[in-house]
C-alpha cells in the first residue's frame, strides 16, 4: 500500500483509501499552524471577534473508501488511530451517504469524537457516546459589562459557584421540590422503559444541577462588545452513563460485535426502539441538568452584581445525541441527490441547521464562540463541539507541568482553582487543538455571532 506525503487538499477533492492506510503518526495535508493563545487580559477596548472567510477554506476533503461510504473531513490534522476509526465507521454498513468528521475530530471509545453520520436502519450507542445529551448552555447577563465586574466580584462569584454547584462525583445533599417535580415531568413526558424506571433512584434526582468532571466546566465570560455571559458544559451524569453501557451490551449481543466497539441496534427491533426512548429521556435530563445549574449560576451573579439573566437569549444544546431529521445527500453510487428522513448521530458534534444557534467552547483560557448554523448538507448540517484534544489525558498528565499551566492561566487574568492545577492538567490549553484553526476549517458550516473570553473558570475532578 502506498502513502502520499504531499497531498494538497482542495474543496471536494477525492482522496483514495489506498493513500491513507499507512500507519503514520499523523495525517496532514499541509503543515499545522503553531497553536495560538488568545490574550484574555482586560483592555479598555472590546476586541472584535475574528472573521473567518469561507472562501479561504479547503474543506471538506473527501476520502473515497472502497466498500464504504465517503468520508468528509474538515481538518488537515488527524492521527492514524482516528483515521482508522473513521474508516471502520465508513465501511461498517450502518452509515448512509457519507461520514462527516468535524475539525475537532479525535479518537473515542468505539466511535470517533467529532463524527456525524446518518442511518436508515441502525443506531449505535457508542456513536452517541457514554454521556448522552452532553452539551452546552450560555445566557447573557442583562446590562452587565466587563468593566462593571471587579477582581473582588470575580473571586466572590467563583467561590459562590464552587459552594453551590456540586462537581466530580458529588451530588446535592438533598433534592429540592423543583428537582422532584422535574424528574416526575421527565418520566411522564418521555415515558422511559421499565429498565430506566427501575434504575432511577433518589441519587439521580439529586444530580440535577451538578457538573461532573472531565472536560465539564462553568465559566463567566464576556463577548466582543464587553457584555458578560454565563456559560457551562455538562450532560446527563450517571443515568446517561449507565444507560449507554446497558445498551452497548445489548447491541454487542444483537449484532455479534464486542462491547465498546461499533456495536449497533436495528432501529425497528424492540431493543432499538427501547434505546431511542431511553436515549431521548437522558437527553432531556441533560438539558434540565444544565438549566438547573444555570439557575444557580444566575442567582450567584445576581447576589454579587444585582443583575439578572436574559433568559430569552439562552442557548442550551446537545452535542452527543441521535435524532430523526430531514436529510439531503449525494449518493456516490447512483450519482443522484437524495432527500429522506434519516437518523443522524452526532458524537461530539453540534447541530448547525440554517439559522440554528450553537456554542463551540475552547479549552481553559482560550475563549469560546456562539455561532449560527449555515445548514451545510456536506456535514449533515453539523459543526464541531469544541477545539478537540491534541493530547490524550494520560499524555497531558505526563507532559504538562502544573506550574506552567497555572502561570498561563494567571497571565490571562482568569480567576480559577489554581491550587488544584495538578488535578486538571489534562484539561490545560496545551492539551487541545488551536480553536481559531478549528473555526477557520468550518467557516462554511457556521458564522460567528459572538466571541467569548473567560473571566472565571470552574472545573470538576
Amino acid at each position: 500500500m502506498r502513502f502520499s506525503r504531499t497531498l494538497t487538499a482542495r474543496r471536494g477533492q477525492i482522496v483514495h483509501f489506498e493513500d491513507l492506510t499507512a500507519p503514520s503518526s499523523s495525517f496532514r495535508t499541509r503543515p499545522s499552524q503553531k497553536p495560538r493563545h488568545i490574550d484574555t487580559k482586560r483592555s479598555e477596548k472590546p476586541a472584535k471577534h475574528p472573521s473567518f472567510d469561507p472562501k479561504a477554506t479547503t474543506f471538506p476533503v473527501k476520502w473515497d473508501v472502497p466498500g464504504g461510504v465517503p468520508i468528509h473531513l474538515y481538518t488537515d490534522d488527524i492521527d492514524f488511530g482516528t483515521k482508522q476509526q473513521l474508516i471502520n465507521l465508513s465501511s461498517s454498513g450502518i452509515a448512509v451517504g457519507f461520514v462527516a468528521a468535524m475539525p475537532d475530530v479525535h479518537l473515542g471509545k468505539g466511535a470517533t469524537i467529532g463524527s456525524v453520520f446518518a442511518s436508515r436502519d441502525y443506531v449505535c450507542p457508542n456513536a452517541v457516546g457514554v454521556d448522552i445529551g452532553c452539551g452546552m448552555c450560555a445566557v447573557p447577563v442583562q446590562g452587565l459589562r466587563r468593566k462593571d465586574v471587579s477582581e473582588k466580584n470575580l473571586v466572590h462569584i467563583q467561590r459562590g459557584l464552587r459552594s453551590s454547584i456540586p462537581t466530580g462525583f458529588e451530588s446535592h445533599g438533598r433534592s429540592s421540590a423543583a428537582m422532584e417535580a422535574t424528574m416526575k415531568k421527565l418520566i411522564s413526558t418521555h415515558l422511559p422503559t421499565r429498565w430506566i424506571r427501575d434504575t432511577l433512584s433518589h441519587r439521580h434526582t439529586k444530580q440535577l444541577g451538578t457538573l461532573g468532571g472531565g472536560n465539564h466546566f462553568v465559566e463567566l465570560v464576556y463577548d466582543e462588545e464587553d457584555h458578560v455571559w454565563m456559560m457551562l458544559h455538562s450532560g446527563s451524569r450517571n443515568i446517561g452513563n449507565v444507560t449507554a453501557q446497558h445498551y452497548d451490551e445489548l447491541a454487542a449481543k444483537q449484532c455479534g460485535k464486542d462491547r465498546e466497539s461499533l456495536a449497533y441496534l436495528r432501529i425497528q427491533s424492540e431493543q432499538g426502539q427501547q434505546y431511542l426512548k431511553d436515549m431521548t429521556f437522558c437527553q432531556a435530563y441533560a438539558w434540565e441538568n444544565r438549566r438547573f445549574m444555570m439557575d444557580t449560576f444566575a442567582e450567584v451573579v445576581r447576589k454579587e452584581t444585582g443583575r439578572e439573566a436574559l433568559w430569552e437569549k439562552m442557548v442550551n444544546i446537545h452535542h452527543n445525541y441521535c435524532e430523526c431529521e430531514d436529510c439531503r445527500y449525494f449518493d456516490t453510487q447512483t450519482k443522484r441527490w437524495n432527500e429522506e428522513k434519516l437518523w443522524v448521530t452526532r458524537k461530539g458534534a453540534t447541530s448547525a441547521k440554517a439559522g440554528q444557534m450553537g456554542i463551540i467552547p475552547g479549552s481553559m483560557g482560550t475563549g469560546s464562540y456562539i455561532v449560527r448554523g449555515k445548514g451545510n448538507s456536506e456535514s449533515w448540517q453539523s459543526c464541531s463541539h469544541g477545539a478537540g484534544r491534541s493530547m490524550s489525558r494520560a499524555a497531558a498528565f505526563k507532559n504538562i507541568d502544573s506550574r506552567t499551566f497555572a502561570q498561563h492561566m494567571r497571565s490571562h487574568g482568569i480567576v480559577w482553582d489554581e491550587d488544584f492545577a495538578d488535578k486538571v492538567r489534562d484539561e490545560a490549553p496545551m492539551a487541545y487543538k488551536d480553536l481559531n484553526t478549528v473555526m477557520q476549517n468550518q467557516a462554511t458550516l457556521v458564522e460567528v455571532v459572538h466571541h467569548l473570553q473567560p473571566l472565571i473558570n470552574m472545573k470538576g475532578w
Side-chain angles (χ1 to χ4, degrees), residues 388-459:
R389 299 196 69 86
S390 60
M391 280 187 204
S392 69
R393 293 191 181 278
F397 274 117
K398 181 179 179 181
N399 296 303
I400 296 174
D401 176 67
S402 59
R403 286 178 295 182
T404 303
F405 171 28
Q407 178 57 40
H408 171 86
M409 296 291 284
R410 195 181 307 122
S411 69
H412 285 65
I414 301 166
V415 175
W416 71 300
D417 295 300
E418 183 175 325
D419 291 344
F420 299 96
D422 193 56
K423 293 180 179 292
V424 291
R425 277 180 293 150
D426 56 331
E427 285 298 305
M430 309 80 169
Y432 282 83
K433 297 178 182 179
D434 173 31
L435 185 59
N436 281 341
T437 300
V438 167
M439 295 302 298
Q440 180 66 66
N441 291 359
Q442 58 187 343
T444 59
L445 309 183
V446 293
E447 62 176 309
V448 173
V449 178
H450 294 295
H451 185 196
L452 307 176
Q453 303 280 16
L455 293 166
I456 292 172
N457 175 280
M458 184 186 84
K459 296 193 71 69

Side-chain angles (χ1 to χ4, degrees), residues 1-4 15-22 64-66:
M1 292 184 179
R2 58 192 173 87
F3 177 67
S4 171
V15 179
H16 292 285
F17 175 77
E18 58 265 27
D19 293 322
L20 303 170
T21 52
D64 184 16
V65 181

Side-chain angles (χ1 to χ4, degrees), residues 139-358:
V139 182
V141 182
Q142 186 171 22
L144 187 63
R145 300 209 170 224
R146 180 181 53 164
K147 61 181 176 59
D148 300 327
V149 188
S150 68
E151 197 73 23
K152 183 178 179 181
N153 293 144
L154 294 176
V155 170
H156 288 174
I157 291 171
Q158 208 271 353
R159 288 176 181 170
L161 293 172
R162 178 61 70 189
S163 65
S164 56
I165 297 179
T167 62
F169 294 103
E170 298 173 353
S171 61
H172 293 284
R174 61 183 181 83
S175 58
S176 65
M179 293 175 194
E180 298 281 357
T182 296
M183 183 62 81
K184 288 179 181 178
K185 185 177 179 181
L186 285 169
I187 293 171
S188 64
T189 300
H190 299 284
L191 301 174
T193 66
R194 170 60 65 182
W195 180 85
I196 278 273
R197 296 198 303 273
D198 289 344
T199 303
L200 286 171
S201 68
H202 197 49
R203 170 191 185 183
H204 300 110
T205 304
K206 293 191 296 182
Q207 280 194 331
L208 284 168
T210 66
L211 184 64
N215 61 355
H216 294 173
F217 66 84
V218 178
E219 286 188 340
L220 190 74
V221 296
Y222 65 94
D223 65 22
E224 67 287 343
E225 294 183 349
D226 219 17
H227 298 297
V228 174
W229 293 61
M230 302 173 291
M231 184 173 69
L232 57 86
H233 174 209
S234 190
S236 51
R237 307 294 285 111
N238 176 263
I239 191 59
N241 185 285
V242 297
T243 298
Q245 293 183 49
H246 171 69
Y247 282 102
D248 179 44
E249 183 175 359
L250 295 181
K253 291 178 181 177
Q254 185 181 110
C255 72
K257 291 182 178 288
D258 294 331
R259 293 187 62 186
E260 299 188 358
S261 67
L262 273 177
Y264 53 82
L265 294 163
R266 294 186 304 278
I267 287 174
Q268 293 306 317
S269 70
E270 181 180 5
Q271 291 171 330
Q273 290 295 302
Q274 289 172 342
Y275 173 70
L276 292 176
K277 181 173 286 192
D278 289 347
M279 176 199 69
T280 302
F281 171 84
C282 291
Q283 289 174 191
Y285 179 100
W287 193 98
E288 294 291 353
N289 180 42
R290 291 190 291 271
R291 177 59 196 254
F292 268 97
M293 275 189 287
M294 194 56 80
D295 284 341
T296 300
F297 197 167
E299 180 61 16
V300 170
V301 171
R302 187 193 65 77
K303 285 182 178 179
E304 187 63 27
T305 69
R307 305 298 176 89
E308 303 285 348
L310 275 170
W311 293 111
E312 64 272 20
K313 299 287 188 180
M314 181 176 73
V315 182
N316 191 348
I317 53 101
H318 306 309
H319 50 227
N320 278 5
Y321 70 111
C322 177
E323 69 177 4
C324 192
E325 300 181 5
D326 292 318
C327 295
R328 184 175 186 268
Y329 66 96
F330 184 75
D331 191 317
T332 56
Q333 293 184 335
T334 64
K335 308 299 182 186
R336 293 180 179 177
W337 284 95
N338 291 344
E339 293 186 7
E340 58 180 310
K341 283 190 175 294
L342 296 169
W343 287 91
V344 177
T345 297
R346 296 180 176 91
K347 181 176 184 177
T350 303
S351 181
K353 298 180 180 69
Q356 186 175 22
M357 301 299 289

Side-chain angles (χ1 to χ4, degrees), residues 20-36:
L20 303 170
T21 52
S24 59
S25 60
S26 64
F27 168 70
R28 290 183 171 89
T29 55
R30 63 174 181 268
S32 293
Q33 298 178 12
K34 185 177 180 180
R36 292 167 291 170

